[in-house]
Structures are given as C-alpha cells and as structure tokens.
Amino acid sequence: MKKLHIILFAFVSLLFSTCNEDEITTDEFEDEIPKLLLSEYNYDDQYWKVKMKYNSSGQMEEKGLFENGDTTRGPFMSSKYFYNAEGVLNKELYSNIHVYGKVDYFYNNNNLTKIINRIGAEDVGYTTYLFNEDATFYPEESEFHCGACDPPVVTIYNQRENFVTYNSEGFITRIETKNLNGELVDDFNFNYNNGNIIEIIDVLNSDKLEVNYDDSPNFNTYITGIQSISKESILGLPYLEPFRKILSYKPLFFRFNNVNNPIEYKFNGEVIRTFKYEYNQYGYPAKIFIGPTEQDEVTLEYIVFN
C-alpha cells in the first residue's frame, strides 16, 4: 500500500432543519443544561448551507447540503435515515447529482448480522459484510454489476476477512484485515480517552493520527452512518481526509461518535489542523475557527431536544 498522505479539504458536513423541535431562547433552562441537536451550519463565504432534520426520538432523519445558501430548492447532496420498530438504524439513502447510494442493516434480536452497501444506479457496486454473534469477525465481499454491458457482467473482488478487538468498555481497539490467502493487508489500531478516539494508527504504513480535544459537548450530535456525504465530519471529526474514507470502510464505526470536540490533529507528529471555538450558553460550540494556515469560519445553530 502506498503511504498515506494527508489531504485537507474544506469541511462540508450536512444537515436539515426541523419544525417539531423548539428553537433555543436565551432565558430557557436557567437551572439545567438541555440536550441540543445540531440543526444548521453556515459558512463564512455564505455559499454552502447545511441543514438537518430529526425525528421525535432525536435521531437523524435527513441531512442536506444546499448550494448558494438556497434552501427553497432541493439539496445538492442529501442523506436519509430509516429505523426499525425498536429505533435501530436499518437503512440509509444517499444521493447527489451524480451518485446514488443505499445501505441496508440487518439484525437478529438487535444484534447486527449483515450490512449491504450499494453505490450506483445502472452500474452498481455492492459490498456485503457478514458479522458473527459478538462482531469480532466479519468477512466482506464486493461485487460490480455492469448494467450497460451486453451481456451484463458481474465482477467479484475485495474478498477479505476482518478480525476485531475491543477493550473493556466495548470500544474497537484493532481491526486486522486479511485476504483469502491469509496475508495481512490492513492493520489499524485505535486508542481512546474519556470516550474520544485519540490515536488512529496505520500499522502497515507506520502512520499515526493524534487528536486532542476540549471538554465541551461534541457539536456533531448525530451518528454519521456509512454513507457520509463528501468531506463530511465522521465520528465527530471534521477535516479528516484521507482517514475519513478509511473509517467509512470500517462499518462497525457507524454508530460511534466522540464525546468532545477536536482542537488539534497531528499526523506523524506534525500539527496539520487546529480548531478554536466560541461556545453558546450551554457549552456547545457556536463558532468554529479552523486553522492553522487557512482560516475558515463555521457558525453552528442548534435546536432543543425535549
């Protein structure tokens, strides 16, 4: 594998406003800290606006990226989330002007048994993950269906086996991936502190991402799932390319979210991204100032979850 190189892109995380929750007012909740749900991002150039919508249980239903700040038209990119009768995520739908995606989650007594990740419309790629009872092992297999081919062609690739290690708190600490010949092709270690991922280590390439945090509630108040929209925050960590793509192919992270907000990334010991915050009266970030060289500013808005 080629050595990872950090490529930093502008942060575009997605969302949709809701009308079944109350907007925050300054004199509410004098004696308690309410649970807030992120409802909108506004960027300093005012070109991109991102909004989200939640259901009555506080779970993400829709999130969308709007071009030129225009929310009167449909979103440029969007994701929709669906849940079973027990309130467990069982489907994601993703779309933009070029790509369609769908993720189906299957359970037995709320234990995850299978994930099918589909990308494409006419020419379709599928990746299927099958999980054992305690999710310590899962094989994966990808297929490409060429619908435009005559006759249609199905190609099978990426047949691999994954071995997962957890710590005593149930957090994933290692994922080893082997091909069908038993050769190690991926090996990632994860270290935590106070419910936050503080290190992601690519063992085979000797690369390490370190993350430092503040002690305030994470602005990323929703679970990303697998089909995160391009350059979206994943696990509550924005500006995470190329690790965002790597983590999106580690499906067991779809329910994980960090507790606090990142303030610094180091890649192999070098500071590559910094985050400074202004906080609202409840301790949640209201503005993010992103550095260290290019200074981007993001304003965040929330709704109160009752």
Side-chain angles (χ1 to χ4, degrees), residues 287-300:
K287 283 189 178 182
I288 310 175
F289 303 93
I290 304 162
T293 52
E294 298 178 4
Q295 293 296 321
D296 295 318
E297 181 180 326
V298 183
T299 302
L300 301 92

Side-chain angles (χ1 to χ4, degrees), residues 262-278:
I263 57 176
E264 182 183 75
Y265 295 162
K266 288 183 180 179
F267 182 66
N268 292 338
E270 179 184 354
V271 175
I272 57 169
R273 186 62 71 186
T274 60
F275 305 89
K276 296 182 179 179
Y277 302 93
E278 288 183 4

Side-chain angles (χ1 to χ4, degrees), residues 94-114:
Y94 163 83
S95 64
N96 64 23
I97 57 175
H98 302 295
V99 179
Y100 168 82
K102 177 184 176 183
V103 183
D104 289 304
Y105 300 86
F106 300 86
Y107 302 87
N108 181 17
N109 294 325
N110 284 333
N111 290 323
L112 185 68
T113 59
K114 181 168 65 173

Side-chain angles (χ1 to χ4, degrees), residues 33 55 57 83 97 103 108 124 130-131 178 180 223-224 273 281 304:
I33 299 176
N55 63 22
S57 298
Y83 304 87
I97 57 175
V103 183
N108 181 17
V124 182
L130 298 173
F131 301 92
K178 298 180 180 181
L180 296 187
I223 293 173
T224 306
R273 186 62 71 186
Q281 66 268 40
V304 177

